[in-house]
Amino acid sequence: MRHLRFGLIALACLTGPAHADPGADYAPRVEIRPFESLTLSDAQFLTGRSEGAKPVILAGTLRIARAGTERLPTVILVHGSGGIGGNIEYWQRMLGAKGYSTFAIDAFSGRGLTSVNTNQALVGRTNLILDIYRALEILARHPRVDPERVAIMGFSRGGQAALYASLARFDAAWNRSGIRPAAYLPVYPDCSIAFLGDTEVAARPIRILAGGADDYNPAAFCTGYVERLKAAGRDVAMTIYPTGQHVFDNPIGPATPTVAAGAQTVRGCALREEAEGVIANTQTGKPFAYADACVEAGPHIGSDVALRDAALAATLTNLDAAFGR
């Protein structure tokens, strides 16, 4: 009898209400798609010159949300400084369950990297913007992707890339895909760099999600940029979750704020693009480097299930509006 009771308990655990539809977490088809990109300096990217850049083969994971032959709306996911982690998998599953395919770019493995948290100089900030444009070329040719319904969503450093991929001059210089993304969805991005012409953006919605308690990429940098975009008549909105820490959406992140030991943050820096693609430290008037005194270490990270749910609801609303669903 004891064995029978144990068997019934085990069966209840397997068939209980936690996953009413076990298949909802899984994609009917998953493809690993390699694509060509470049590893180049920020100056090369900003000036539109690729001479001397190093070719690199990257890859992305395409999770197709529905079986069949229909072209589906697709969201590009761009990871942060720690590479692909729990938050990327979370968004793959949650968006897939709602009928959105995802293409998660791995911008690090092909470059021989796993993380740049403690040494952000290992790869230029703008490299991930180029990677987005190169990923668009793959999606433009894929028979299950609707090129009219592609959005870009990024997190932290990837959020910075998702945000500034909207800049008209970057798109004109580097995007050869023919796709004009339907929306740009940065999550806790770094907005510390004032790029030349950064209010000239695509005529598509930009929707930023940020944490008010984030001391890694403070929301205040983005609020100033958002105000400038609004003044220029751009379609932009920003939601700040007052208690949100950095990576608040990561389901396997720490439940209480925890120091990210050794991680570099430019929260104390003010940066701007100058002539010839120079990113200058406005405090010193010299080209910025991660050895500058304004660069600090040890920001906090923290997960929050309620904010994760709120971010998911907001993102689904934004995607539905951008894709006309």
Side-chain angles (χ1 to χ4, degrees):
M1 179 65 72
R2 215 165 44 210
H3 292 302
L4 177 59
R5 278 201 300 269
F6 178 79
L8 290 174
I9 292 171
L11 181 60
C13 290
L14 290 172
T15 61
H19 289 283
D21 179 6
D25 284 347
Y26 300 94
R29 182 171 178 82
V30 177
E31 300 175 359
I32 307 299
R33 289 279 176 162
F35 62 95
E36 296 180 355
S37 191
L38 299 171
T39 299
L40 72 179
S41 68
D42 289 329
Q44 287 172 312
F45 178 87
L46 294 171
T47 57
R49 297 195 292 262
S50 60
E51 297 85 356
K54 181 181 178 181
V56 63
I57 301 296
L58 303 179
T61 302
L62 178 63
R63 289 169 56 100
I64 299 174
R66 297 284 186 267
T69 60
E70 177 189 3
R71 290 183 178 269
L72 298 173
T74 302
V75 181
I76 292 177
L77 300 175
V78 193
H79 63 72
S81 299
I84 290 181
N87 66 328
I88 297 295
E89 184 171 356
Y90 168 80
W91 287 101
Q92 288 173 314
R93 292 185 177 194
M94 294 301 102
L95 296 178
K98 297 298 183 179
Y100 294 119
S101 297
T102 56
F103 188 73
I105 296 173
D106 180 356
F108 285 175
S109 295
R111 294 186 168 104
L113 303 170
T114 56
S115 171
V116 298
N117 279 326
T118 59
N119 185 1
Q120 295 282 355
L122 288 173
V123 64
R125 287 273 171 170
T126 54
N127 268 226
L128 273 65
I129 305 175
L130 177 60
D131 297 341
I132 290 170
Y133 294 147
R134 292 298 176 88
L136 286 173
E137 295 179 16
I138 292 295
L139 298 183
R141 300 192 296 267
H142 199 286
R144 296 300 312 279
V145 174
D146 182 349
E148 299 298 320
R149 294 186 294 169
V150 175
I152 301 170
M153 184 177 191
F155 309 86
S156 194
R157 179 190 268 248
Q160 182 182 51
L163 176 60
Y164 294 110
S166 69
L167 265 61
R169 60 179 273 240
F170 294 167
D171 186 271
W174 296 104
N175 185 1
R176 300 290 180 264
S177 69
I179 291 179
R180 296 296 175 261
Y184 300 87
L185 309 174
V187 183
Y188 40 83
D190 175 4
C191 302
S192 62
I193 304 173
F195 291 106
L196 296 175
D198 62 5
T199 59
E200 297 298 320
V201 296
R204 302 296 173 93
I206 298 171
R207 301 290 182 263
I208 302 172
L209 303 180
D214 190 332
D215 64 358
Y216 204 134
N217 290 336
F221 280 105
C222 294
T223 56
Y225 180 43
V226 166
E227 290 307 311
R228 290 196 292 114
L229 287 171
K230 287 181 177 179
R234 310 308 177 200
D235 184 0
V236 60
M238 181 174 177
T239 299
I240 300 176
Y241 302 111
T243 61
Q245 298 283 334
H246 201 64
V247 303
F248 62 77
D249 62 318
N250 190 343
I252 59 173
T256 57
T258 302
V259 171
Q264 291 179 318
T265 169
V266 293
R267 65 190 177 198
C269 304
L271 311 176
R272 67 167 180 260
E273 180 190 357
E274 296 185 340
E276 293 303 309
V278 172
I279 295 178
N281 182 335
T282 62
Q283 297 164 335
T284 65
K286 298 178 180 179
F288 169 74
Y290 281 98
D292 287 359
C294 67
V295 178
E296 301 175 30
H300 293 80
I301 58 173
S303 178
D304 188 309
V305 64
L307 298 186
R308 184 164 64 249
D309 290 345
L312 175 60
T315 298
L316 292 174
T317 296
N318 291 331
L319 288 173
D320 287 350
F323 293 152
R325 290 181 61 171

